[in-house]
Amino acid sequence: VGSALLGGDRPYGYRDALMALDAEPGDGHRFEMTAFANEESVLLDYALSPEDARWANVAGALAYTRDFGGAQLVTRLGASGYQATLPLRPTRASADSSSTTFQADGASERVRVESELAWGSPEAPLRAGISHERITAAFTASNTTDDRTSENRGRAERTGVFFETSQPISDGVTLQGGFRADYFPGVGLLGAPRAAFLWEESPEMLLTVAAGRYPQPTRNVDPAVELTLVDVSQVGLAPEEVLPVATADHVVVSLDQRLGSAARMGLEGFFKRFDGLDGSGRETVRSSGVDLRVLTAAERASAWVGYGLSWFWSGTDLSGQTADFSGRHLLTAGVAGRIAGQ
């Protein structure tokens, strides 16, 4: 409705719809539903573009919660889809580039169902569950002038069980731990342990040391799509190579410190290692960094500032760039407060 009132979909179009429902049909029963869809488009600035650049999302989720006195059972079902179309200029000069058009398309779908049971005391909660997930993806590069196409399609599934708990081991010291086991068809069974040590030395200081592993499907890069669309061919990735299973190991050390009565500081350092990003299991990418956050709060207003520094490196060039090392700085700041009355 809004885009029509503002003159239509050119040069930028946007529409979305959101619906949410929460219901409690009886004591100890809760039902939740969310549905969302959106579409955006941008008019490109060259004459040979076969159509606008467009991308769209659709997602839905259902959840049912059942309370059993000291335990709670939650069952969730979620599904989502994404689709994008991007017309492209020729990526290198050629005799007929002025009359040649190209297009890249991508689409993915994801469905997940899980059920988990939580019980125990607030000081020592326990949680266990089971889940199943399916992901499909398709990436296409087309020369729309002579109908040459390079297409890749992939599918990944995982079925897993998990358990986690938190236990105080002494005054101010808590140990959290968990384990997840996932079965990936074609890969096998992968384990993912994780643990965290929390030391609350006083109400003014909390020190956390955490480590763990996590496996998941990831998108591989198809050089026929990424490098050039001028010489589009039928050569692409095998279906099992489009969504290879990669693992990530991490270690995080963080300090949450109260500074006086109105200020608070958070300091965190991390190291991560990613394996299997290219589908072969031989390539490794490492990442580390540090984050600093400072918050000050008064009765009517608060302000905060944050700084993050992270970097990535690898023994081989996976990015298509000439360097195997890259870094990033991130500076953030904000303020919030009441201006009048409520």
Side-chain angles (χ1 to χ4, degrees):
V1 176
S3 65
L5 295 175
L6 296 174
D9 289 345
R10 298 294 184 93
Y12 172 69
Y14 178 86
R15 54 180 56 87
D16 71 2
L18 173 65
M19 179 174 65
L21 171 67
D22 298 323
E24 295 186 10
D27 292 340
H29 299 266
R30 186 166 67 253
F31 176 80
E32 300 166 277
M33 181 193 73
T34 303
F36 171 79
N38 83 323
E39 182 183 55
E40 299 182 66
S41 62
V42 173
L43 172 65
L44 301 180
D45 59 352
Y46 63 100
L48 294 177
S49 171
E51 59 179 297
D52 295 349
R54 296 182 178 274
W55 59 100
N57 296 275
V58 60
L62 297 171
Y64 172 71
T65 303
R66 177 73 168 96
D67 292 323
F68 300 94
Q72 184 181 76
L73 177 67
V74 182
T75 301
R76 304 183 184 93
L77 171 64
S80 63
Y82 172 77
Q83 187 171 11
T85 297
L86 179 63
L88 297 171
R89 282 191 176 101
T91 54
R92 64 172 186 251
S94 63
D96 62 348
S97 62
S98 61
S99 60
T100 302
T101 58
F102 305 93
Q103 182 170 300
D105 295 278
S108 64
E109 295 179 352
R110 180 175 179 173
V111 177
R112 178 182 176 90
V113 59
E114 67 178 8
S115 184
E116 66 177 53
L117 180 66
W119 72 100
S121 64
E123 298 79 17
L126 297 100
R127 191 167 69 101
I130 184 171
S131 67
H132 178 77
E133 182 178 29
R134 185 187 69 197
I135 303 173
T136 59
F139 307 98
T140 304
S142 304
N143 182 328
T144 57
T145 303
D146 56 15
D147 294 328
R148 285 180 295 165
T149 301
S150 174
E151 184 176 31
N152 292 294
R153 293 182 177 273
R155 174 173 171 169
E157 293 190 48
R158 66 188 295 177
T159 301
V161 294
F162 63 90
F163 172 81
E164 64 182 29
T165 185
S166 177
Q167 299 287 335
I169 57 178
S170 66
D171 188 23
V173 179
T174 302
L175 183 64
Q176 297 177 349
F179 185 84
R180 181 180 179 94
D182 285 295
Y183 175 76
F184 296 88
V187 176
L189 190 65
L190 296 179
R194 56 185 180 268
F197 174 85
L198 293 81
W199 176 33
E200 188 177 7
E201 193 275 336
S202 69
E204 286 74 34
M205 190 206 81
L206 176 64
L207 176 68
T208 304
V209 180
R213 164 172 288 193
Y214 190 78
Q216 71 175 35
T218 183
R219 175 196 180 280
N220 205 349
V221 175
D222 174 18
V225 176
E226 300 292 339
L227 298 181
T228 178
L229 293 178
V230 175
D231 299 322
V232 170
S233 67
Q234 298 292 337
V235 178
L237 297 172
E240 63 273 13
E241 296 177 332
V242 175
L243 293 171
V245 177
T247 60
D249 300 297
H250 68 270
V251 178
V252 180
V253 180
S254 63
L255 174 66
D256 190 4
Q257 179 75 56
R258 183 177 297 168
L259 308 174
S261 59
R264 196 177 192 97
M265 178 194 72
L267 180 64
E268 179 178 283
F270 67 87
F271 170 79
K272 298 180 181 180
R273 171 184 167 133
F274 305 92
D275 291 294
L277 294 175
D278 67 335
S280 68
R282 297 187 300 269
E283 305 296 351
T284 298
V285 176
R286 298 174 178 86
S287 172
S288 59
V290 62
D291 288 298
L292 173 65
R293 301 172 301 277
V294 178
L295 167 71
T296 179
E299 182 178 354
R300 294 183 60 88
S302 63
W304 54 270
V305 62
Y307 172 72
L309 173 64
S310 60
W311 47 91
F312 303 81
W313 71 98
S314 173
T316 57
D317 182 13
L318 300 178
S319 63
Q321 306 298 321
T322 57
D324 62 357
F325 181 93
S326 63
R328 182 185 68 180
H329 301 269
L330 179 64
L331 180 65
T332 56
V335 62
R338 295 190 302 172
I339 55 177
Q342 297 301 316

